[in-house]
Short mmCIF file of all heavy atoms in Angstrom, two decimals:
data_model
loop_
_atom_site.label_atom_id
_atom_site.label_comp_id
_atom_site.label_asym_id
_atom_site.label_seq_id
_atom_site.Cartn_x
_atom_site.Cartn_y
_atom_site.Cartn_z
N LEU V 1 0.83 -1.20 0.00
CA LEU V 1 0.00 0.00 0.00
C LEU V 1 0.87 1.25 0.00
O LEU V 1 0.54 2.24 -0.68
CB LEU V 1 -0.94 0.00 1.21
CG LEU V 1 -1.85 1.22 1.34
CD1 LEU V 1 -2.73 1.39 0.09
CD2 LEU V 1 -2.73 1.10 2.59
N GLU V 2 1.97 1.22 0.74
CA GLU V 2 2.84 2.39 0.75
C GLU V 2 3.44 2.61 -0.65
O GLU V 2 3.58 3.75 -1.10
CB GLU V 2 3.94 2.22 1.79
CG GLU V 2 4.67 3.53 2.05
CD GLU V 2 5.68 3.44 3.17
OE1 GLU V 2 6.35 2.39 3.28
OE2 GLU V 2 5.82 4.42 3.92
N ILE V 3 3.79 1.54 -1.33
CA ILE V 3 4.27 1.67 -2.70
C ILE V 3 3.16 2.19 -3.61
O ILE V 3 3.39 3.04 -4.48
CB ILE V 3 4.81 0.32 -3.22
CG1 ILE V 3 6.06 -0.09 -2.43
CG2 ILE V 3 5.14 0.40 -4.71
CD1 ILE V 3 6.58 -1.48 -2.76
N ALA V 4 1.93 1.71 -3.39
CA ALA V 4 0.80 2.19 -4.19
C ALA V 4 0.60 3.69 -4.03
O ALA V 4 0.35 4.41 -5.00
CB ALA V 4 -0.48 1.44 -3.78
N ARG V 5 0.71 4.17 -2.80
CA ARG V 5 0.57 5.61 -2.56
C ARG V 5 1.66 6.39 -3.28
O ARG V 5 1.42 7.45 -3.85
CB ARG V 5 0.61 5.90 -1.06
CG ARG V 5 0.34 7.37 -0.71
CD ARG V 5 0.36 7.58 0.78
NE ARG V 5 1.66 7.24 1.36
CZ ARG V 5 1.89 7.16 2.67
NH1 ARG V 5 0.90 7.37 3.53
NH2 ARG V 5 3.09 6.86 3.12
N ALA V 6 2.89 5.85 -3.27
CA ALA V 6 3.99 6.51 -3.99
C ALA V 6 3.73 6.50 -5.49
O ALA V 6 3.97 7.50 -6.18
CB ALA V 6 5.30 5.81 -3.67
N LEU V 7 3.21 5.40 -6.02
CA LEU V 7 2.91 5.32 -7.46
C LEU V 7 1.81 6.29 -7.87
O LEU V 7 1.77 6.75 -9.01
CB LEU V 7 2.51 3.89 -7.82
CG LEU V 7 3.58 2.81 -7.71
CD1 LEU V 7 2.99 1.44 -8.02
CD2 LEU V 7 4.76 3.11 -8.63
N ALA V 8 0.92 6.61 -6.93
CA ALA V 8 -0.19 7.51 -7.23
C ALA V 8 0.28 8.92 -7.57
O ALA V 8 -0.45 9.69 -8.20
CB ALA V 8 -1.17 7.55 -6.06
N THR V 9 1.50 9.27 -7.17
CA THR V 9 2.02 10.60 -7.48
C THR V 9 2.53 10.70 -8.92
O THR V 9 2.98 11.76 -9.34
CB THR V 9 3.17 10.97 -6.53
OG1 THR V 9 4.31 10.15 -6.79
CG2 THR V 9 2.75 10.81 -5.06
N GLU V 10 2.51 9.57 -9.65
CA GLU V 10 3.00 9.50 -11.02
C GLU V 10 4.49 9.83 -11.10
O GLU V 10 4.93 10.74 -11.82
CB GLU V 10 2.22 10.42 -11.95
CG GLU V 10 0.74 10.06 -12.06
CD GLU V 10 -0.01 10.97 -13.02
OE1 GLU V 10 0.65 11.74 -13.76
OE2 GLU V 10 -1.25 10.91 -13.02
N PRO V 11 5.32 9.08 -10.38
CA PRO V 11 6.76 9.39 -10.36
C PRO V 11 7.47 8.91 -11.62
O PRO V 11 7.01 8.02 -12.32
CB PRO V 11 7.26 8.62 -9.14
CG PRO V 11 6.36 7.41 -9.09
CD PRO V 11 5.00 7.92 -9.53
N LYS V 12 8.60 9.54 -11.87
CA LYS V 12 9.56 9.02 -12.84
C LYS V 12 10.61 8.17 -12.12
O LYS V 12 11.14 7.21 -12.68
CB LYS V 12 10.26 10.16 -13.58
CG LYS V 12 9.35 11.09 -14.35
CD LYS V 12 10.15 12.26 -14.92
CE LYS V 12 9.25 13.28 -15.59
NZ LYS V 12 10.04 14.46 -16.07
N LEU V 13 10.92 8.59 -10.88
CA LEU V 13 11.91 7.91 -10.05
C LEU V 13 11.25 7.49 -8.75
O LEU V 13 10.68 8.32 -8.04
CB LEU V 13 13.09 8.84 -9.76
CG LEU V 13 14.14 8.33 -8.77
CD1 LEU V 13 14.87 7.11 -9.32
CD2 LEU V 13 15.15 9.45 -8.45
N LEU V 14 11.33 6.20 -8.44
CA LEU V 14 10.75 5.67 -7.21
C LEU V 14 11.87 5.27 -6.26
O LEU V 14 12.74 4.46 -6.61
CB LEU V 14 9.88 4.46 -7.54
CG LEU V 14 9.18 3.75 -6.37
CD1 LEU V 14 8.21 4.69 -5.67
CD2 LEU V 14 8.44 2.51 -6.87
N LEU V 15 11.86 5.84 -5.06
CA LEU V 15 12.85 5.54 -4.04
C LEU V 15 12.22 4.60 -3.01
O LEU V 15 11.21 4.94 -2.39
CB LEU V 15 13.32 6.81 -3.33
CG LEU V 15 13.81 7.97 -4.21
CD1 LEU V 15 14.23 9.14 -3.34
CD2 LEU V 15 14.95 7.54 -5.12
N LEU V 16 12.80 3.43 -2.84
CA LEU V 16 12.28 2.43 -1.91
C LEU V 16 13.28 2.23 -0.78
O LEU V 16 14.41 1.81 -1.01
CB LEU V 16 12.04 1.10 -2.63
CG LEU V 16 11.08 1.12 -3.82
CD1 LEU V 16 11.00 -0.26 -4.48
CD2 LEU V 16 9.69 1.59 -3.39
N ASP V 17 12.86 2.55 0.44
CA ASP V 17 13.74 2.45 1.60
C ASP V 17 13.45 1.14 2.33
O ASP V 17 12.47 1.02 3.05
CB ASP V 17 13.51 3.65 2.53
CG ASP V 17 14.63 3.80 3.57
OD1 ASP V 17 15.38 2.83 3.78
OD2 ASP V 17 14.73 4.88 4.17
N GLU V 18 14.30 0.15 2.11
CA GLU V 18 14.19 -1.18 2.70
C GLU V 18 12.78 -1.78 2.51
O GLU V 18 12.08 -2.06 3.47
CB GLU V 18 14.56 -1.15 4.18
CG GLU V 18 16.01 -0.76 4.41
CD GLU V 18 16.51 -1.11 5.80
OE1 GLU V 18 16.09 -2.14 6.33
OE2 GLU V 18 17.31 -0.33 6.32
N PRO V 19 12.37 -1.97 1.26
CA PRO V 19 11.01 -2.44 0.99
C PRO V 19 10.70 -3.83 1.53
O PRO V 19 9.54 -4.15 1.77
CB PRO V 19 10.92 -2.40 -0.54
CG PRO V 19 12.34 -2.51 -0.99
CD PRO V 19 13.13 -1.76 0.03
N THR V 20 11.71 -4.68 1.73
CA THR V 20 11.44 -6.04 2.22
C THR V 20 11.69 -6.20 3.72
O THR V 20 11.62 -7.31 4.24
CB THR V 20 12.29 -7.09 1.46
OG1 THR V 20 13.66 -6.93 1.83
CG2 THR V 20 12.13 -6.95 -0.03
N ALA V 21 11.97 -5.10 4.41
CA ALA V 21 12.26 -5.18 5.85
C ALA V 21 11.07 -5.80 6.59
O ALA V 21 9.92 -5.38 6.42
CB ALA V 21 12.55 -3.80 6.41
N GLY V 22 11.35 -6.79 7.42
CA GLY V 22 10.31 -7.42 8.23
C GLY V 22 9.47 -8.46 7.51
O GLY V 22 8.56 -9.03 8.09
N MET V 23 9.78 -8.72 6.24
CA MET V 23 8.99 -9.68 5.48
C MET V 23 9.56 -11.09 5.63
O MET V 23 10.76 -11.27 5.82
CB MET V 23 8.97 -9.30 3.99
CG MET V 23 8.15 -8.08 3.67
SD MET V 23 8.01 -7.86 1.87
CE MET V 23 6.82 -6.52 1.82
N ASN V 24 8.68 -12.07 5.51
CA ASN V 24 9.13 -13.46 5.48
C ASN V 24 9.63 -13.77 4.07
O ASN V 24 9.44 -12.98 3.14
CB ASN V 24 8.02 -14.41 5.93
CG ASN V 24 6.79 -14.36 5.02
OD1 ASN V 24 6.91 -14.31 3.80
ND2 ASN V 24 5.61 -14.39 5.61
N PRO V 25 10.31 -14.92 3.89
CA PRO V 25 10.88 -15.23 2.56
C PRO V 25 9.87 -15.22 1.43
O PRO V 25 10.18 -14.77 0.32
CB PRO V 25 11.49 -16.62 2.77
CG PRO V 25 11.82 -16.67 4.22
CD PRO V 25 10.72 -15.91 4.91
N GLN V 26 8.66 -15.70 1.67
CA GLN V 26 7.66 -15.73 0.61
C GLN V 26 7.24 -14.31 0.24
O GLN V 26 7.12 -13.98 -0.95
CB GLN V 26 6.43 -16.53 1.07
CG GLN V 26 5.37 -16.67 -0.01
CD GLN V 26 4.19 -17.53 0.44
OE1 GLN V 26 4.15 -18.01 1.57
NE2 GLN V 26 3.24 -17.73 -0.44
N GLU V 27 7.03 -13.45 1.24
CA GLU V 27 6.66 -12.06 0.96
C GLU V 27 7.80 -11.33 0.24
O GLU V 27 7.56 -10.54 -0.68
CB GLU V 27 6.33 -11.34 2.27
CG GLU V 27 5.03 -11.79 2.92
CD GLU V 27 4.84 -11.21 4.31
OE1 GLU V 27 5.86 -10.93 4.99
OE2 GLU V 27 3.69 -11.03 4.73
N THR V 28 9.03 -11.61 0.67
CA THR V 28 10.19 -10.99 0.04
C THR V 28 10.29 -11.36 -1.44
O THR V 28 10.51 -10.51 -2.30
CB THR V 28 11.48 -11.40 0.77
OG1 THR V 28 11.44 -10.91 2.11
CG2 THR V 28 12.72 -10.85 0.07
N ASP V 29 10.10 -12.64 -1.74
CA ASP V 29 10.17 -13.10 -3.12
C ASP V 29 9.07 -12.45 -3.95
O ASP V 29 9.31 -12.03 -5.09
CB ASP V 29 10.04 -14.62 -3.16
CG ASP V 29 10.28 -15.18 -4.56
OD1 ASP V 29 11.39 -14.98 -5.10
OD2 ASP V 29 9.35 -15.78 -5.12
N GLY V 30 7.86 -12.34 -3.38
CA GLY V 30 6.76 -11.72 -4.10
C GLY V 30 7.02 -10.25 -4.37
O GLY V 30 6.73 -9.74 -5.47
N LEU V 31 7.60 -9.54 -3.40
CA LEU V 31 7.86 -8.11 -3.60
C LEU V 31 8.99 -7.89 -4.60
O LEU V 31 8.95 -6.96 -5.40
CB LEU V 31 8.22 -7.44 -2.27
CG LEU V 31 8.30 -5.91 -2.34
CD1 LEU V 31 6.96 -5.31 -2.76
CD2 LEU V 31 8.75 -5.32 -1.02
N ARG V 32 9.98 -8.77 -4.59
CA ARG V 32 11.07 -8.66 -5.57
C ARG V 32 10.51 -8.77 -6.98
O ARG V 32 10.87 -7.99 -7.88
CB ARG V 32 12.11 -9.74 -5.30
CG ARG V 32 13.31 -9.67 -6.25
CD ARG V 32 14.42 -10.60 -5.82
NE ARG V 32 13.98 -11.97 -5.74
CZ ARG V 32 14.11 -12.73 -4.66
NH1 ARG V 32 14.65 -12.24 -3.56
NH2 ARG V 32 13.70 -13.99 -4.67
N GLN V 33 9.64 -9.73 -7.21
CA GLN V 33 9.02 -9.88 -8.52
C GLN V 33 8.16 -8.67 -8.87
O GLN V 33 8.11 -8.23 -10.02
CB GLN V 33 8.19 -11.16 -8.55
CG GLN V 33 9.02 -12.43 -8.42
CD GLN V 33 8.15 -13.67 -8.42
OE1 GLN V 33 7.15 -13.75 -9.11
NE2 GLN V 33 8.53 -14.66 -7.62
N PHE V 34 7.48 -8.12 -7.84
CA PHE V 34 6.63 -6.96 -8.06
C PHE V 34 7.45 -5.74 -8.48
O PHE V 34 7.04 -4.98 -9.36
CB PHE V 34 5.84 -6.65 -6.79
CG PHE V 34 5.05 -5.38 -6.85
CD1 PHE V 34 3.96 -5.27 -7.68
CD2 PHE V 34 5.43 -4.27 -6.10
CE1 PHE V 34 3.23 -4.09 -7.76
CE2 PHE V 34 4.71 -3.09 -6.16
CZ PHE V 34 3.61 -3.01 -6.99
N ILE V 35 8.62 -5.55 -7.88
CA ILE V 35 9.47 -4.42 -8.24
C ILE V 35 9.91 -4.53 -9.70
O ILE V 35 9.92 -3.54 -10.44
CB ILE V 35 10.69 -4.33 -7.30
CG1 ILE V 35 10.22 -3.94 -5.89
CG2 ILE V 35 11.70 -3.30 -7.81
CD1 ILE V 35 11.30 -4.03 -4.83
#
């Protein structure tokens, strides 16, 4: 959701500060593919 809010601003450059912090391996793998 935080990434969605950032995308809503229509960026050219997206800065992600530790996007997988606190995630389990399955969530981490899913977010990596999403990026």
Side-chain angles (χ1 to χ4, degrees):
L1 179 57
E2 193 174 38
I3 294 174
R5 186 179 61 190
L7 293 176
T9 69
E10 298 182 11
K12 300 175 185 176
L13 173 65
L14 180 62
L15 308 180
L16 302 177
D17 195 343
E18 297 197 35
T20 69
M23 289 188 172
N24 61 42
Q26 183 177 1
E27 290 171 331
T28 296
D29 187 61
L31 189 61
R32 182 171 58 235
Q33 294 178 37
F34 173 69
I35 292 171

